[in-house]
Amino acid sequence: MGYCRLSPSSEPKSKLRQRFKVDRPISPPVQKDKITITIHLTPFNRAALVLSIITIQIFVHLYLSTLYFSAGDGFLPLIPASVSTSCKEGSVYVYDLPKSFNTDLLRGRDALDNRFLIEETYANAGFGPQVSSDFASLIPSRFLSAWYATDQFAAEQIFHRRLLYHPCRTSDPTIATAFYIPFYVGLAVDRHLWNFSATPKQRDQDCSRLLHWLQDQPPFRRSKGWDHFLTISRITWNFRRQPGESWGSSFLVMPEMQNVTRLIIERSPWDSMDVAIPYPTSFHPHSTMQLQDWQNFVLEQDRRTLFGFAGATRPKIRGDFRSLINISCEEAGSACRSVDCSDIKCLHGSADTLELFLDSDFCLQPKGDSPTRRSVFDCMIAGAVPVFFWRETTRGQHSWFLPKEGEEDEWSVFIDRKKVRRGIVNVRKVLEGIGEEKLRKMRERVVDMIPRLVYAAGARGLGEGMEDAFDIALKGIFARFKEQQKRWK
């Protein structure tokens, strides 16, 4: 049986464009009667006028740049904190931590790979540098401004900047619904994560200092942390070191952290204080219009490959499932393509992986170092349908952002890895068996989800009432804390 491929001809392009409405500017009516006014300027006045216009443009550009991105290492808010009348859900107070807990950590080189300067990796308020010219051949030029070389561990910087500009931010802690702790704990712990000679005290020193500082704050002492939250840009297992163990920090098992909510890229299924948020991808739309335009673009893609896989095999791991995935891909011939990520080829969202996912109907998602991986989100924002082999990749993870449990078959495929290992199930045959109409509906559901999986480039979000992943996370925090307040009373 040949595999089915959803082509643009399966649904009229005009209908696809209508699915996500993109308002186009309307040209003004032409006036029949025109009045021409001629102003004569001396050469000196003309030069002065040109210089004035250029000066104004420079100031406007500088203002918009600082509005969209951080200034130096300060993340300094240009807009005074005040609560908008539209903040019905609540207000948030952002602690002004000593810089040693956040922006100072952006200095130096990456602990794992000293080829990278940390401040360059997390430039542009955490989004990273603009993408390379390789992307220009993959996507229309109107989308290039929304694509950055974003590191998968950038959530701490992204959330900090958005909260500083949020209309529901208050400078009065007595009226705050929620308290945000802008501690870049992922960067703090990363300094010692790969240093196997580091002592437990060294691994915990920044975390311990932060909690000591926090205990001196009246709001924290009053609530014991129940209305406090922070963002953690690494998986939860890097912060749960137990006595006698050497890996990571013990931050999340410290007594002072037991009531604090953590927005984290992968949560522990056994800890209700962990809330999983989407991994940052490289796509950061500037507006609702640009996002809806992208949704139409990925729906219209002419996908020539049945399934693709981007990842690195783990030959030192006995029975490495990724190696089996690669074999399945090779056996599938032209029905499958893969991108080898064994070096840094896939780092920070590469053009190779985007090309693969834009060209594939399905993307294979075996687990990474832990059940979840950034590639799941990279593939979905490109409109490909994810294929999972571990239930834990989605079950109990990202529940605020993904459809409710029980609806997984509407937007993803699950294949039992044990049956693949035993040769009972063939990946290609399973995917070929999904009919064209079913595939179309699955893709549409995936594309519908894109706004909930991305972090907007704008300091104030997407606008026009469209919510991105940050908006959904903050709304969830407000709802969570209001429910907890009822229990206190």
Side-chain angles (χ1 to χ4, degrees):
M1 180 190 298
Y3 78 85
C4 71
R5 177 172 56 81
L6 182 63
S7 65
S9 60
S10 63
E11 187 170 357
K13 287 193 174 183
S14 60
K15 186 175 179 182
L16 286 168
R17 291 193 184 99
Q18 292 172 0
R19 180 167 179 80
F20 299 100
K21 183 180 179 182
V22 180
D23 296 324
R24 303 295 185 190
I26 300 175
S27 302
V30 178
Q31 300 294 330
K32 293 183 179 180
D33 298 323
K34 296 183 178 179
I35 299 176
T36 303
I37 299 176
T38 304
I39 299 176
H40 297 283
L41 299 174
T42 66
F44 175 79
N45 289 337
R46 189 179 298 113
L49 177 61
V50 171
L51 181 61
S52 299
I53 293 173
I54 292 174
T55 302
I56 292 172
Q57 289 176 332
I58 290 173
F59 276 111
V60 169
H61 175 75
L62 289 174
Y63 171 76
L64 291 177
S65 296
T66 52
L67 182 65
Y68 268 76
F69 305 118
S70 62
D73 66 351
F75 271 88
L76 299 175
L78 301 180
I79 304 169
S82 60
V83 181
S84 168
T85 55
S86 63
C87 295
K88 298 178 182 178
E89 290 90 356
S91 59
V92 59
Y93 179 84
V94 181
Y95 280 111
D96 184 17
L97 294 181
K99 288 186 177 182
S100 61
F101 292 124
N102 43 51
T103 53
D104 281 355
L105 294 169
L106 294 170
R107 299 171 182 172
R109 293 186 176 273
D110 186 278
L112 182 59
D113 192 336
N114 62 13
R115 286 176 292 179
F116 299 103
L117 287 170
I118 298 175
E119 61 184 351
E120 291 180 0
T121 299
Y122 299 105
N124 293 331
F127 296 141
Q130 289 281 166
V131 294
S132 66
S133 57
D134 296 343
F135 282 71
S137 62
L138 298 179
I139 57 179
S141 59
R142 65 185 185 274
F143 296 126
L144 289 175
S145 65
W147 284 85
Y148 298 79
T150 305
D151 186 79
Q152 64 176 330
F153 303 131
E156 292 160 357
Q157 293 77 37
I158 293 173
F159 271 78
H160 188 189
R161 175 256 200 159
R162 283 288 295 274
L163 282 165
L164 286 178
Y165 285 93
H166 202 276
C168 297
R169 177 184 166 223
T170 179
S171 57
D172 184 356
T174 64
I175 66 171
T177 309
F179 295 82
Y180 184 69
I181 309 166
F183 177 33
Y184 296 175
V185 61
L187 286 176
V189 171
D190 184 57
R191 293 191 298 176
H192 304 288
L193 196 61
W194 304 99
N195 179 7
F196 296 102
S197 63
T199 64
K201 184 177 180 179
Q202 289 174 319
R203 293 180 183 277
D204 289 339
Q205 61 184 4
D206 293 309
C207 300
S208 298
R209 285 195 308 112
L210 179 279
L211 293 177
H212 180 76
W213 183 93
L214 203 56
Q215 286 177 302
D216 288 337
Q217 309 309 308
F220 188 82
R221 292 203 307 267
R222 173 184 51 80
S223 69
K224 294 182 175 57
W226 280 108
D227 51 4
H228 285 56
F229 72 109
L230 81 166
T231 308
I232 300 180
S233 63
R234 287 184 171 272
I235 62 175
T236 192
W237 316 111
N238 289 340
F239 306 90
R240 296 181 177 278
R241 193 190 72 246
Q242 299 295 323
E245 296 179 345
S246 60
W247 175 261
S249 166
S250 62
F251 184 52
L252 295 185
V253 298
M254 292 180 180
E256 300 86 353
M257 282 298 297
Q258 298 316 296
N259 297 332
V260 177
T261 297
R262 318 94 184 214
L263 300 176
I264 192 166
I265 57 174
E266 179 179 313
R267 68 178 296 268
S268 166
W270 304 282
D271 191 339
S272 63
M273 304 312 292
D274 280 1
V275 176
I277 57 173
Y279 283 72
T281 67
S282 292
F283 180 51
H284 306 285
H286 288 269
S287 66
T288 294
M289 178 182 290
Q290 189 177 48
L291 174 57
Q292 292 174 333
D293 197 9
W294 175 261
Q295 288 176 291
N296 286 323
F297 170 71
V298 297
L299 273 178
E300 294 178 10
Q301 280 299 295
D302 182 11
R303 299 172 187 268
R304 297 164 296 179
T305 305
L306 176 62
F307 61 103
F309 169 61
T313 58
R314 309 293 172 83
K316 293 183 179 180
I317 298 178
R318 184 178 180 183
D320 176 39
F321 188 73
R322 291 188 180 193
S323 298
L324 191 59
I325 288 292
N326 264 351
I327 294 174
S328 298
C329 189
E330 292 172 1
E331 292 177 345
S334 61
C336 179
R337 289 177 54 205
S338 65
V339 173
D340 182 5
C341 300
S342 56
D343 190 19
I344 62 172
K345 194 173 185 179
C346 305
L347 197 64
H348 305 155
S350 70
D352 293 314
T353 56
L354 177 60
E355 180 185 20
L356 175 70
F357 294 145
L358 285 174
D359 189 58
S360 302
D361 286 327
F362 300 94
C363 54
L364 306 186
Q365 296 297 337
K367 73 175 185 177
D369 295 324
S370 60
T372 66
R373 61 195 301 245
R374 167 179 164 160
S375 179
V376 172
F377 300 94
D378 287 335
C379 107
M380 291 177 70
I381 63 170
V385 177
V387 179
F388 300 118
F389 301 89
W390 276 262
R391 292 288 188 189
E392 304 94 299
T393 303
T394 56
R395 187 166 292 171
Q397 299 287 344
H398 308 102
S399 59
W400 287 6
F401 307 89
L402 299 178
K404 61 183 181 182
E405 290 189 10
E407 297 181 0
E408 292 90 350
D409 291 346
E410 297 179 11
W411 58 275
S412 65
V413 177
F414 177 76
I415 300 177
D416 190 335
R417 68 186 182 282
K418 296 177 182 178
K419 293 183 179 180
V420 175
R421 285 188 185 279
R422 295 200 297 266
I424 300 174
V425 169
N426 180 278
V427 173
R428 177 178 180 174
K429 289 183 179 180
V430 171
L431 300 180
E432 284 178 336
I434 296 175
E436 185 170 335
E437 179 64 17
K438 170 68 173 175
L439 174 58
R440 182 184 66 80
K441 290 181 178 179
M442 294 175 79
R443 178 171 302 134
E444 288 183 351
R445 187 68 186 274
V446 167
V447 174
D448 278 337
M449 293 160 59
I450 291 177
R452 305 174 66 86
L453 307 179
V454 300
Y455 298 97
R460 292 298 187 94
L462 292 167
E464 300 182 43
M466 176 75 79
E467 294 181 335
D468 69 347
F470 170 86
D471 294 318
I472 293 168
L474 185 58
K475 183 179 288 187
I477 286 291
F478 285 146
R480 180 185 179 98
F481 289 174
K482 283 189 175 182
E483 182 63 30
Q484 289 175 172
Q485 285 176 352
K486 294 179 183 177
R487 298 174 186 173
W488 298 346
K489 297 177 181 179

